Amino acid sequence: MKLRISLLLIVVFFVNLTVFGQQKYAIVIHGGAGVMSKSRMNDERQAEYKKVLNQALEVGEKLLKDGATATDVVVEVIQVMENSPLFNAGKGAVFTNEGKNELDASIMEGNNINAGAVAGVSNIKNPINAAREVMYKSEHVFLSGKGASEFAKQQGLEIVNNKYFFTKSRYESLKQLQKRERERTKKDNMGTVGCAVLDTHGNLSAGTSTGGMTNKKFGRIGDAPVIGAGTYANNNTCAVSCTGHGEYYIRLGFARDISALMEYKNLSVSEACKEEINKLSELDGTGGVIAVDANGDIAMEFNTGGMFRGFIKSNGEKEIAIFKEN
Ligand code: ASP
């Protein structure tokens, strides 16, 4: 009798877990933060961005419903944005001072604190894919330049000519910036992409992909491929992806600090992101962050005029937005 009751309790426990607990999922994405206002972006342009953001969320949701892992969802969602010329990642990446495209990407999964990243790559079509390969197929976490490309080639990833990344608008941004002889502007870099996911197995993962900052020099690497700065994930706290002026994010250890605020100060994911954005503002840094916690609660915070962003949750909640006030 006792055995039967125990077995029944176990069955009830697992049914509950499947129906009410572990089936929960959430995806949150960004497509860059920066100087933007409704008056400077016409309705057509806004609709173009929202279309790709929506497409990315839909691709991710379908995969999650089919039981895909958070990491695979992060990669597929980011690839949608990397393949769009609208964003500063993959096709559409900003130009270096020398008129080339050098890309950075990273990914981290929260169940085993594993991570992969590539920096300064110039011929890998989808750098986020390479970051996942580094995480799963190499004994390292962070590969750069030629070595990273060689590794990607060995893994069978798609290699392209650097010209593939060319877009007229990004090239003109470089030329204007060089003409003005300013170091960098916030507007020109806008469009880094990122994704944070809670999957139906209860795991968290986050990834970020970027072309960096327009007119960057001397092999400059930003926060996007730096684990703990632009990307972080830990099942005990949250998954985070950042966008903004990378130097500040590296100095703050931004993404990891959000996780630490949750772990050590017991802050909610939204409180932790707000607090970290305040630290960024105090340093006069600009940018934004997206995050999701193990409960599926999400945060989308920024101190700029806008951030291309969106989320979708298993409870049906969905939002796609650009500006501070929508
Ligand atoms: N964080 C990126 C970098 O500094 C740029 C951006 O997100 O706009 O490379």
Side-chain angles (χ1 to χ4, degrees):
M1 185 64 181
K2 263 189 183 166
L3 185 70
R4 265 201 210 158
I5 291 173
S6 305
L7 280 175
L8 190 69
L9 283 175
I10 289 170
V11 169
V12 168
F13 174 74
F14 278 109
V15 167
N16 268 332
L17 207 65
T18 315
V19 177
F20 302 112
Q22 300 300 309
Q23 292 296 328
K24 221 183 223 184
Y25 63 77
I27 311 172
V28 57
I29 56 175
H30 71 75
V35 180
M36 44 176 114
S37 65
K38 271 187 187 163
S39 58
R40 281 156 69 181
M41 196 186 293
N42 64 32
D43 290 353
E44 209 177 298
R45 190 81 175 149
Q46 290 178 38
E48 282 175 36
Y49 276 103
K50 286 185 174 172
K51 193 175 158 199
V52 183
L53 293 172
N54 189 47
Q55 199 188 333
L57 287 175
E58 281 180 355
V59 164
E61 183 172 45
K62 187 177 179 316
L63 286 165
L64 282 172
K65 282 183 174 166
D66 290 345
T69 66
T71 295
D72 288 346
V73 172
V74 164
V75 171
E76 294 302 323
V77 166
I78 287 184
Q79 275 196 63
V80 171
M81 296 187 279
E82 282 181 338
N83 292 343
S84 161
L86 293 176
F87 299 98
N88 172 21
K91 176 85 187 165
V94 298
F95 285 85
T96 65
N97 177 259
E98 290 171 333
K100 290 201 178 117
N101 305 99
E102 290 175 0
L103 301 93
D104 309 325
S106 67
I107 193 159
M108 181 163 189
E109 53 187 21
N111 58 334
N112 51 14
I113 321 292
N114 202 0
V118 293
V121 297
S122 54
N123 64 356
I124 301 172
K125 187 181 176 205
N126 293 106
I128 193 66
N129 231 326
R132 178 177 53 186
E133 295 297 289
V134 172
M135 174 165 75
Y136 285 151
K137 310 257 180 70
S138 85
E139 56 193 294
H140 307 295
V141 166
F142 203 170
L143 301 182
S144 69
K146 277 188 189 147
S149 291
E150 190 48 46
F151 172 77
K153 221 182 278 174
Q154 281 180 20
Q155 300 309 313
L157 298 191
E158 193 169 347
I159 301 297
V160 291
N161 188 292
N162 193 247
K163 287 198 177 75
Y164 161 80
F165 300 107
F166 179 91
T167 51
K168 201 166 164 263
S169 62
R170 296 290 189 194
Y171 193 68
E172 279 166 3
S173 290
L174 172 72
K175 290 293 140 195
Q176 279 165 19
L177 192 56
Q178 289 180 334
K179 206 164 141 197
R180 290 199 300 270
E181 284 187 353
R182 271 205 266 122
E183 271 279 286
R184 50 179 82 93
T185 69
K186 290 151 199 167
K187 181 172 172 260
D188 292 324
N189 309 302
M190 216 160 62
T192 290
V193 303
C195 176
V197 170
L198 165 70
D199 69 19
T200 56
H201 315 283
N203 288 323
L204 295 173
S205 188
T208 312
S209 181
T210 188
M213 293 184 87
T214 302
N215 204 29
K216 61 185 181 182
K217 299 180 184 104
F218 310 120
R220 178 264 185 193
I221 304 291
D223 61 312
V226 179
I227 296 300
T231 303
Y232 195 73
N234 183 332
N235 273 11
N236 295 329
T237 53
C238 61
V240 184
S241 170
C242 305
T243 176
H245 196 149
E247 279 69 9
Y248 293 91
Y249 284 74
I250 294 174
R251 287 164 58 196
L252 285 165
F254 198 100
R256 160 72 193 151
D257 209 27
I258 287 172
S259 170
L261 285 169
M262 293 178 70
E263 192 175 349
Y264 306 141
K265 274 180 92 179
N266 244 332
L267 298 192
S268 71
V269 66
S270 151
E271 289 165 345
C273 287
K274 282 192 176 113
E275 186 158 328
E276 200 61 26
I277 286 285
N278 286 341
K279 292 187 194 179
L280 180 72
S281 301
E282 277 163 25
L283 292 180
D284 277 336
T286 52
V289 61
I290 53 157
V292 60
D293 70 10
N295 200 31
D297 291 328
I298 61 117
M300 305 189 291
E301 295 294 331
F302 50 97
N303 67 0
T304 51
M307 177 168 79
F308 298 107
R309 62 196 186 277
F311 73 85
I312 199 160
K313 288 186 185 185
S314 46
N315 66 5
E317 277 182 65
K318 183 176 179 181
E319 186 185 309
I320 293 175
I322 301 176
F323 308 104
K324 203 165 219 154
E325 320 292 346
N326 273 285

